[in-house]
Amino acid sequence: MSARGVVIVGGGLAGMTAASELADLGYPYPITILGDERHQAYARPPLSKGVLKGTDADDSVLLPDSPSGQIRVRVSSAVIGLDVQARQVALADGREIGYDNLIIASGGRPRRLGDGTGQHVVRTIDDTLRLRDALGVATDVVVIGGGFLGMEVASAALSFGARVRVIDVRTPLVPVLGETLGRLTLAAASEHGVKVEVCPGGVVVECEESGQVRRVTSRDGRAFPADVVVTAIGDVPNTEWLRGSGVTLDAQGWVVVDDHARAHGADFAPGEILAAGDVAMLPQSGEYRRMPHWENAIGQAKAAARTVVDGPHESYTPDPYFWTEAFGIAYKIAGPIPPEGEPEVIKGDLDDRCALIRWTGAAGTTVAAVNHRIPVAKLRRQAREHRNVPTVQFQ
């Protein structure tokens, strides 16, 4: 084996976790992380919460540097191509870097409506700071997309004193949180003055020639005033650099992996190329799905590192855990989502919005803490009862 080592494309949580795990496992060769942003690695979940509201310092999201001297992090290093025969990646600045193993952790970027004119997104630190500045002078804010991110942004926007409206093609949050928690959040949003609009046919963002947003209109003719529009309608894969490389991508461009985090492809040896985090489509309940969440990024990145060091000895099974907060309600959820049916109340009272609740179904057990203090480890132990391989309905 040569000493080119492992190259990790993507300087976010999955990439940094994979690098640290490789070092901890005693991997003896160089580890190079290539990130396209100018910032060092940072955590994304707080961006739509405390950082956007300005209650958390901008640098509070930065992840600590690895103490391992063998890990080299290169920021502002966009990768534009891959040659699996030569085992090297091509960078936008003309450099080429060879590898023995490649870990793909390039994630995704926000999906936008139309050409994206006049729309804010929340994915990077720079996105968040631009939106925060815009919210400071906003009167009418429209958030398009009512998932976790959209509702967190809407909640944060209220703190700036703006009128806030959330628009989705279906009832917000119910598809991902289920009826009980989805409706609970919508009630809290309404109490805080947020207007929720369901527009099944979608919407169009209308702008002045300058690019300034004027309004958002629905396909059925409704018009909503807006001077700030935020789109939170999912993401698209950062995998253009993999096109034609031989790495198997699904129809949308996400990287298909097995339960050892190994990428599929006929032109390279199994385990030579791996993928982790938001970019990966992993097997779940007989089909491939994404789990674009913090805990999966960590778990799958560690699995990729173990496969590099020890081979495919231990399968990776996701252990779903999610957390979100909006409109005065904080959720910690362990287990598959969305849960179905009515939950059992273990402690507290949902009417008081402080409870520990549980669902048990064919996909396994889901336990949710609603404004309820409980250690995450304990929450997960309860959710592992009657556990099956989890199915999470994101794609």
Side-chain angles (χ1 to χ4, degrees), residues 198-244:
V198 177
C199 301
V203 295
V204 174
V205 179
E206 297 184 7
C207 300
E208 307 287 354
E209 290 185 6
S210 64
Q212 174 60 42
V213 174
R214 180 174 57 195
R215 63 183 179 179
V216 174
T217 57
S218 67
R219 300 292 185 180
D220 57 14
R222 287 175 285 169
F224 311 108
D227 45 35
V228 170
V229 171
V230 186
T231 47
I233 54 174
D235 51 359
V236 295
N238 290 326
T239 55
E240 289 83 359
W241 62 283
L242 293 171
R243 298 287 182 185

Side-chain angles (χ1 to χ4, degrees), residues 322-363:
F322 316 92
W323 65 280
T324 186
E325 58 184 52
F327 314 114
I329 304 178
Y331 297 114
K332 293 187 288 188
I333 306 170
I337 59 173
E340 297 181 357
E342 290 294 320
E344 169 194 1
V345 178
I346 303 172
K347 290 183 180 179
D349 190 331
L350 273 177
D351 290 337
D352 296 333
R353 295 177 186 169
C354 183
L356 183 67
I357 57 179
R358 176 172 57 207
W359 297 258
T360 301

Side-chain angles (χ1 to χ4, degrees), residues 113 119 142-146 150 165-168 203-205 216 229-233:
L113 293 177
Q119 298 165 42
V142 171
V143 180
I144 303 173
R165 191 182 306 267
V166 175
I167 301 176
D168 205 328
V203 295
V204 174
V205 179
V216 174
V229 171
V230 186
T231 47
I233 54 174

Side-chain angles (χ1 to χ4, degrees), residues 356-374:
L356 183 67
I357 57 179
R358 176 172 57 207
W359 297 258
T360 301
T365 299
T366 300
V367 182
V370 181
N371 286 340
H372 177 82
R373 295 177 63 87
I374 182 173

Side-chain angles (χ1 to χ4, degrees), residues 37 39 42-54 56-58 61 120-136 149 153 156 160 230:
E37 290 190 53
H39 304 285
Y42 57 90
R44 298 189 193 280
L47 295 180
S48 57
K49 306 175 183 71
V51 175
L52 182 55
K53 290 189 289 186
D56 293 345
D58 298 349
V61 298
H120 287 271
V121 294
V122 177
R123 176 73 181 182
T124 68
I125 289 178
D126 292 335
D127 291 336
T128 304
L129 298 184
R130 282 191 293 269
L131 176 57
R132 193 172 71 193
D133 288 344
L135 291 175
L149 177 61
V153 169
F160 291 85
V230 186

